[in-house]
Amino acid sequence: MKMESFWQDNRPVFTGGCQQALPERADVVVIGGGFSGISAARNLAKQGIDVVLLESEGVMSQASARNGGHCNNGVAQNFAGLVASKGVERATEIYRAFDTAVDYVSSVISEEQIDCDFRRSGKLKLASKPGHFAALQSSAEWMRKTVDPEVELLSASDIRREIDSDQFHGGLLQKRSAQMHMGKFGIGLAESAARFGAKIFEYHPVTDIKRISGYQHRITTPRGDILADKVLLATGCSNQGPFPWLQRRIVPVGSFIITTAPLEAERLQRLLPGDRTYVTSSNIHNYFRTTGDHRLVFGGRARFSISNPTSDARSGDILRASLKKLFPSLADVPIDYCWGGMVDMSADRLPHAGEENGLFYTLGYSGHGAQMSVWMGNVMADLLAEKANLNPWKSTSWPALPGYFGKPWFLPMTGLYYKTKDLLF
């Protein structure tokens, strides 16, 4: 079993990185070589703007290629709950932003002819308990009235035609959701950015940022300094580096995934006839999908902890037990891959983007970033270029978390709280 991401182990080699010395200045410096940063750099370079991207490791080395491979529309929260907390108008705007993001990913793949197994087969949210079905029913009613007339509520008997498991009590089908090979897409996106003229410097961790005036900053790396007229932070969980403002607002939470050995196509067809993306409704939930070579990718919040080799291995054991419970027929299937990644969680589980202290930022995707990060990179590039301001999060308040300064000391207690909720409700 390999302790690494399936997406990273099965992707092309990135050839577009800069090998020369870091330039003295740039119009825009983007910090972070995941989907947000690369997408922003691509858009800026297409507009003829001199853009440099700095990545502490290799491009697509963190969350962008260490996730479950879902590219879903819809929001992290129950939509009815979002309406209750934000109002119907704002909830509708948020939902439609995620729809737009999936459409944008699809358009980039088509424009650049990226071979990444992209397909829109729908997302099925599965009711883990009878009481959860009522929440899905309420969300479906609101969605049909406001954002998605095609959403489909499935009864417990309907679910048996969608998934060969007796663990679920109904479901909610959102038909515009998609999936793709994250590694292949990420490298294709990065190669496109480089072709348009973005200068991508891998293994250039940022160790210091000093404001000169306005939006201008001097950025320090172990391999040289660069003066930027504008800076975009696309750093994901931001738990390393000189980003104290963000580190008081982003909680890094581990998410863990296992991937089976290839299965017979007929066997997968019996298990998951719709071949969709799937997510369970529990607080400590699971998510899963198949791959182009007939594997099952199965993940979840197995443990509330930081991802590291020890934590990943322990989480893999928990996930294997969950897989066996949901699909007893897969109990003896070999596991080929086990890995973890860090989710940049915000308190409201919504993305955040804007400008603070002269620095632009986009992050906080809270486990729903595969589509939103690509689109927000594009949106923030237009903002930096003073071309347009279509940022859907510009008016979103983002206070610091009380008592939090970047080290998530409360994760074990949070995990216990959610486990208790799953037992009781």
Side-chain angles (χ1 to χ4, degrees), residues 52-331:
V52 167
L53 183 141
L54 304 175
E55 164 57 42
S56 62
E57 299 181 32
V59 297
M60 305 297 164
S61 58
Q62 297 303 316
S64 295
R66 302 186 67 81
N67 53 60
H70 297 207
C71 186
N72 293 329
N73 69 326
V75 293
Q77 303 90 336
N78 175 281
F79 186 69
L82 191 64
V83 169
S85 63
K86 300 290 185 182
V88 64
E89 182 176 355
R90 180 59 177 151
T92 298
E93 290 174 351
I94 291 170
Y95 191 98
R96 288 181 174 156
F98 279 88
D99 269 0
T100 300
V102 179
D103 290 341
Y104 181 71
V105 170
S106 179
S107 71
V108 170
I109 291 169
S110 178
E111 179 182 341
E112 297 298 334
Q113 293 296 291
I114 301 174
D115 180 12
C116 61
D117 305 326
F118 179 85
R119 57 190 180 84
R120 303 185 88 150
S121 54
K123 166 192 170 184
L124 185 56
K125 187 163 187 179
L126 299 157
S128 300
K129 291 189 174 185
H132 295 183
F133 184 72
L136 296 183
Q137 186 173 30
S138 178
S139 287
E141 291 170 357
W142 272 109
M143 287 180 194
R144 289 195 193 104
K145 289 188 295 185
T146 55
V147 294
D148 189 352
E150 297 181 351
V151 71
E152 188 174 345
L153 189 69
L154 305 180
S155 68
S157 59
D158 293 331
I159 285 294
R160 300 296 179 269
R161 294 191 292 270
E162 283 279 350
I163 180 169
D164 186 22
S165 175
D166 61 2
Q167 296 294 308
F168 302 109
H169 306 272
L172 183 68
L173 177 60
Q174 294 162 268
K175 299 178 183 179
R176 296 200 291 268
S177 291
Q179 55 184 277
M180 63 184 175
H181 189 298
M182 294 295 171
K184 292 178 180 178
F185 172 73
I187 296 302
L189 187 69
E191 296 286 11
S192 169
R195 284 196 301 272
F196 282 114
K199 303 179 185 72
I200 300 173
F201 288 85
E202 300 178 289
Y203 306 101
H204 278 65
V206 172
T207 57
D208 193 25
I209 304 177
K210 290 184 178 178
R211 191 175 189 177
I212 306 302
S213 63
Y215 298 136
Q216 194 176 66
H217 288 75
R218 181 169 296 282
I219 300 167
T220 299
T221 82
R223 301 168 72 174
D225 289 8
I226 183 170
L227 183 66
D229 291 339
K230 293 178 181 177
V231 178
L232 174 64
L233 302 178
T235 52
C237 64
S238 304
N239 59 331
Q240 297 180 357
F243 314 114
W245 190 84
L246 296 176
Q247 287 163 353
R248 293 208 61 198
R249 289 157 174 81
I250 289 292
V251 179
V253 178
S255 192
F256 306 94
I257 302 168
I258 56 176
T259 300
T260 69
L263 304 170
E264 301 87 352
E266 296 79 8
R267 189 176 186 183
L268 277 181
Q269 175 65 23
R270 289 195 301 272
L271 284 175
L272 304 168
D275 202 12
R276 311 183 192 281
T277 61
Y278 305 85
V279 60
T280 67
S281 63
S282 299
N283 290 291
I284 302 179
H285 62 273
N286 293 114
Y287 48 86
F288 47 98
R289 53 156 291 193
T290 66
T291 67
D293 61 349
H294 309 304
R295 302 171 186 269
L296 186 66
V297 179
F298 188 89
R301 305 282 189 271
R303 302 173 70 245
F304 273 70
S305 65
I306 300 296
S307 173
N308 58 50
T310 300
S311 184
D312 292 357
R314 291 175 179 172
S315 299
D317 291 339
I318 296 171
L319 289 173
R320 178 149 195 167
S322 298
L323 177 64
K324 180 179 178 180
K325 181 179 179 181
L326 292 186
F327 300 111
S329 65
L330 299 183

